[in-house]
Amino acid sequence: MLGFEFGYAQANPSSLVIWEAQFGDFANGAQVIIDQFIASAEMKWKRASGLVLLLPHGYEGQGPEHSSARLERFLALCANQNMSIINPTTPSQIFHALRRQIKWNFRKPLVVMSPKSLLRHPEAVSPIHEFTEETFKPVIDDATTAPEKVNRVLLCSGKIFYDLAQYRRKLSEEETVAIVRIEELYPFPKRALDKIIQRYTNAEFMFVQEEPENMGAWSFMLRTFPQENRLLLVAREADSSPAVGFPQVHFSQQEKLVQRAFEDTA
C-alpha cells in the first residue's frame, strides 16, 4: 500500500496524500519502499514527493511491536534536505505541518511520529489562535520559566514532554528546570535551538527519550547538537527490543526514566 500511495503522490503533487499506519512498526514491512523510493528518489531520479507518513510512535505499555516506529532508521536516512521528520506535541503543530505540505512550492516527504495517547491526553490541546495566527514551530521553548533561574534544561521530543511536565509540577521545580521540545528533528532546527540555548547561561543540558539509548534520536542528537554544550542522556538502557512485553514493567521503567531526568548528575 505504501508503494501505491507513493505513486499516487507522484501523479497528484497538489494533493495531500497520507499513509497512516495503525501502529508505527507497520513501517517495518514497508522498509524497502521507504529506503529505495521515499528517502532517496529525489537524489536518484530527481523525483520529488509530498507523501506523508503518519506513524504512531510512543511508549504506552502496548509491547515492543506497538511502541516504536523506529525513529532512528528514518534519521539515518536523512541527508541533503531529503525529507522532514517531526515528533509534535500539540494539535496545532500537526495542523500546520500538514498545511505546509500543500502550501510549500516544493515537495518533500513528511514523517510524523504521532502517539495515540495524545489523542485523548487532557493537556495535548491547542487554543484557536494557535491554528489561525501561528505557524509550525520546529522548537518550542519553555514559557513557564525565567532562564536566569534555570540550572537544568531537559530537551525532549514527543509525548515524553507531558510526563516530564507532570513530574516537574509534582516536585515544584518549575523555576529551576526548563523543558524544551524539539518538534522537528530533521531538518534539524539548529538556529532556533541555538537561540534558546543561549538564554540558559547557567544550565546543564540533558536529552530525554523514551527509547533505549541505542535507538531513538540520541545518536542523531550527538551528531547535531552544538559541540560547545555538553549533552547528557536520559534513556532506557540499550536493548535488542524496542520495548518490553509487559505493561507493569513498562510503567515501572517509564517512572524511573522520568525521575532520573530530575536527579542530580554525577
Side-chain angles (χ1 to χ4, degrees):
M1 283 300 296
L2 182 57
F4 173 85
E5 302 296 357
F6 177 78
Y8 190 89
Q10 293 278 318
N12 296 272
S14 60
S15 299
L16 180 63
V17 183
I18 299 175
W19 182 71
E20 182 178 15
Q22 185 177 1
F23 290 98
D25 70 293
F26 282 28
N28 291 339
Q31 197 64 42
V32 172
I33 300 297
I34 294 168
D35 289 355
Q36 299 296 325
F37 295 92
I38 294 173
S40 58
E42 186 173 359
M43 178 60 66
K44 290 195 290 189
W45 307 304
K46 306 301 178 185
R47 299 291 294 176
S49 170
L51 180 63
V52 177
L53 277 64
L54 291 185
L55 304 177
H57 173 91
Y59 285 59
E60 298 165 338
Q62 299 194 62
E65 269 60 72
H66 295 335
S67 296
S68 176
R70 292 291 189 176
L71 174 61
E72 64 276 3
R73 290 181 185 168
F74 287 95
L75 291 174
L77 293 170
C78 289
N80 310 115
Q81 310 294 310
N82 62 328
M83 56 184 171
S84 296
I85 298 181
I86 67 173
N87 197 3
T89 55
T90 67
S92 63
Q93 284 286 89
I94 293 180
F95 168 78
H96 288 298
L98 295 178
R99 181 176 181 270
R100 74 179 184 177
Q101 282 296 103
I102 296 298
K103 296 294 290 183
W104 270 338
N105 59 3
F106 56 88
R107 294 289 176 261
K108 297 284 183 180
L110 171 64
V111 180
V112 184
M113 301 286 157
S114 49
K116 290 190 173 185
S117 62
L118 293 194
L119 291 171
R120 56 186 180 274
H121 198 290
E123 295 182 34
V125 296
S126 300
I128 293 296
H129 73 86
E130 289 187 3
F131 292 92
T132 59
E133 301 174 14
E134 299 185 8
T135 60
F136 181 81
K137 302 181 184 71
V139 184
I140 299 179
D141 196 4
D142 193 331
T144 66
T145 60
E148 65 275 6
K149 296 181 180 180
V150 171
N151 57 36
R152 177 173 298 179
V153 176
L154 303 179
L155 301 170
C156 65
S157 187
K159 83 172 187 68
I160 188 67
F161 163 75
Y162 292 101
D163 294 334
L164 294 171
Q166 182 179 20
Y167 193 74
R168 183 178 64 174
R169 288 193 298 270
K170 177 181 176 181
L171 296 179
S172 299
E173 291 193 12
E174 284 88 347
E175 288 191 353
T176 59
V177 179
I179 306 174
V180 176
R181 289 170 273 177
I182 302 176
E183 301 277 292
E184 183 166 53
L185 288 158
Y186 193 85
F188 190 71
K190 186 177 185 304
R191 289 185 181 179
L193 187 58
D194 282 347
K195 289 181 180 179
I196 291 173
I197 288 173
Q198 291 169 10
R199 299 179 64 230
Y200 300 99
T201 56
N202 303 312
E204 64 177 352
F205 295 88
M206 305 178 74
F207 183 69
V208 185
Q209 67 174 32
E210 295 183 299
E211 302 89 346
E213 63 180 62
N214 59 321
M215 303 177 195
W218 171 236
S219 60
F220 177 78
M221 288 295 297
L222 279 180
R223 297 197 308 271
T224 53
F225 192 74
Q227 295 300 310
E228 61 270 18
N229 298 97
R230 183 187 178 206
L231 186 62
L232 305 174
L233 172 66
V234 177
R236 284 172 166 81
E237 292 183 1
D239 205 335
S240 58
S241 173
V244 295
F246 299 96
Q248 294 87 347
V249 177
H250 157 76
F251 290 116
S252 176
Q253 286 184 346
Q254 192 78 356
E255 183 179 7
K256 292 177 181 177
L257 175 71
V258 173
Q259 289 175 354
R260 282 173 49 211
F262 292 86
E263 292 175 354
D264 293 333
T265 57

